[in-house]
Amino acid sequence: MLVQNATQIMTLDEFTVHQLRLFPHATGELSHLLRDIGLAAKRISADAIKAGLVGVLGEAGLRNVQGEDVKKLDVLANEQLIAALRKGVSCAGVGSEESDQVLIFDDHKSNQSKYVVLFDPLDGSSNIDNNISVGTIFGVYRRTTAPGSPATDADFLQPGTRQVAAGYVLYGTSTMLVYGTRRGVNGFTLDPAIGEFCLSHPDITCPSNGNTYSINHGNFFQYPAGVRHYITDIQRWNEFNPDSYTERYVGSMVADLHRTLLKGGLFLYPGTKERPEGKLRLLYECNPFAFLFEVAGGLATSGPSRILDIIPTKLHQRTPLFIGSKEMVTEVSSYL
Ligand SMILES: O=P(O)(O)OC[C@H]1O[C@](O)(COP(=O)(O)O)[C@@H](O)[C@@H]1O
Ligand SMILES: [Mg+2]
Ligand SMILES: [Mg+2]
């Protein structure tokens, strides 16, 4: 049967409720939190798909704590996520790429929550105005402080191994929400006709090997020698074994990693001479993807460390990132 009967396709809400039944003691808080993120994603998607018509292209005239010019869609996405998570009853606070400090919700209901969320509200900002795929990235952590009191900074500065769930939204040809718990990674496609995320990619696993590598070649001579040698070796291999490898780079981490998760391959964002710590942020870009890839059978390293083992000290700290198919990450690690 080519096309599954629409009534048989599970929505995100149905899926999370179904998962809930597998945990008799679960409170449903995580399901509510995922539903709230889904709601914010629908609202962001509704504006992103008609961005040029609703005045959300271009700069917002602000600079964020990273020193980057903030886009209007960065601001909109940030506000939508904060509003949806604050209004829900399942989140005690958030940390965002676009906010200097963590935001503790500190009201009676939110203080009861056992989770905090870190997110990159709009990923791939440099591509927004050119109508190239962008995304949202999120990681959900169980608090270290006891529910009942306001969350604290300590709840946000936890290693990635402490995530209970992580995911991303891709605003591309279709809008997809992909999330994972330790039980697995599943992908949902937004059906605009019914306004629901529907299960389209169940039990995603990352192929153990691939032939696609993804890196900003423009910085080639800025990368460490090991990275340059790795890239040169696979290009040499291609010279004698044509089409063994190919290169793809969208410049939106969510889009590049969505492809790598589904099809296999390797994404590299190394440190550079100018920025040895790399560009990508540990807490709300690298940790969520490292969690998803590991659950799906892939790997993620900074070179010296497994990404998920890095103990964070600052909300916006950066790390080099090598992530993807197990065999390709293992291979590039031998060069680093
Ligand atoms: O332009 P560069 O240096 O290759 O960097 C591209 C990377 O920067 C990012 O755009 C950074 O994320 P933001 O857009 O959320 O700041 C990633 O999505 C992408 O992988
Ligand atoms: Mg980003
Ligand atoms: Mg961003």
Side-chain angles (χ1 to χ4, degrees):
M1 177 170 67
L2 268 182
V3 179
Q4 211 182 356
N5 172 341
T7 58
Q8 290 165 330
I9 298 175
M10 257 189 187
T11 67
L12 176 65
D13 288 359
E14 288 168 335
F15 183 85
T16 55
V17 169
H18 177 74
Q19 294 284 311
L20 208 52
R21 294 206 187 100
L22 305 169
F23 300 94
H25 305 298
T27 60
E29 220 178 305
L30 184 59
S31 311
H32 285 149
L33 195 150
L34 290 165
R35 186 205 53 210
D36 298 336
I37 292 174
L39 179 61
K42 290 177 198 172
R43 291 188 173 137
I44 297 165
S45 173
D47 277 328
I49 56 177
K50 57 180 191 298
L53 303 175
V54 289
V56 292
L57 291 180
E59 316 278 340
L62 304 166
R63 276 198 163 222
N64 64 19
V65 65
Q66 339 267 338
E68 296 160 344
D69 292 321
V70 178
K71 302 275 187 176
K72 289 180 184 165
L73 208 52
D74 286 320
V75 176
L76 179 136
N78 197 40
E79 288 169 355
Q80 291 290 9
L81 281 155
I82 291 172
L85 288 164
R86 187 196 287 278
K87 193 156 158 258
V89 289
S90 309
C91 180
V94 298
S96 165
E97 178 194 2
E98 301 306 337
S99 309
D100 299 10
Q101 316 292 336
V102 297
L103 187 58
I104 310 291
F105 289 154
D106 194 9
D107 59 65
H108 176 67
K109 272 200 237 150
S110 304
N111 291 348
Q112 307 310 318
S113 169
K114 53 179 187 278
Y115 299 119
V116 293
V117 180
L118 283 139
F119 58 76
D120 174 356
L122 206 287
D123 177 69
S125 307
S126 63
N127 281 327
I128 296 170
D129 295 353
N130 313 316
N131 197 12
I132 295 167
S133 299
V134 292
T136 291
I137 312 169
F138 63 90
V140 181
Y141 291 77
R142 188 185 299 279
R143 293 172 59 176
T144 54
T145 56
S149 59
T152 69
D153 284 7
D155 292 312
F156 297 88
L157 297 179
Q158 302 187 57
T161 46
R162 296 271 303 160
Q163 289 171 109
V164 293
Y168 59 88
V169 185
L170 177 62
Y171 310 103
T173 37
S174 59
T175 294
M176 279 192 70
L177 187 153
V178 175
Y179 89 92
T181 64
R182 284 193 174 71
R183 293 184 61 82
V185 178
N186 293 278
F188 302 79
T189 299
L190 181 60
D191 179 346
I194 58 172
E196 290 285 355
F197 281 106
C198 301
L199 184 61
S200 53
H201 296 65
D203 297 321
I204 295 172
T205 55
C206 179
S208 64
N209 207 347
N211 72 336
T212 302
Y213 71 100
S214 186
I215 190 169
N216 182 337
H217 252 289
N219 300 332
F220 183 78
F221 289 106
Q222 289 225 14
Y223 294 138
V227 173
R228 296 199 309 271
H229 292 154
Y230 173 77
I231 301 290
T232 308
D233 281 358
I234 55 178
Q235 288 176 333
R236 284 247 174 281
W237 180 265
N238 242 18
E239 187 181 1
F240 305 107
N241 311 276
D243 302 328
S244 299
Y245 289 97
T246 189
E247 210 261 340
R248 291 281 181 275
Y249 191 71
V250 177
S252 292
M253 181 185 189
V254 170
D256 283 313
L257 288 184
H258 181 67
R259 180 197 60 245
T260 307
L261 185 65
L262 296 186
K263 302 294 181 200
L266 177 68
F267 175 87
L268 312 88
Y269 206 111
T272 57
K273 289 185 188 121
E274 193 203 341
R275 199 156 45 186
E277 75 282 12
K279 174 182 183 176
L280 301 173
R281 280 55 58 123
L282 173 66
L283 284 175
Y284 43 77
E285 288 176 320
C286 302
N287 269 341
F289 272 111
F291 180 90
L292 291 170
F293 272 81
E294 286 205 10
V295 172
L299 289 176
T301 179
S302 66
S305 333
R306 176 189 177 219
I307 293 288
L308 294 178
D309 288 338
I310 299 174
I311 309 290
T313 53
K314 287 180 291 170
L315 179 59
H316 302 288
Q317 74 183 73
R318 302 171 193 264
T319 177
L321 178 67
F322 305 88
I323 185 169
S325 297
K326 191 173 272 188
E327 290 173 39
M328 293 182 83
V329 175
T330 306
E331 186 183 32
V332 74
S333 299
S334 68
Y335 283 77
L336 301 173

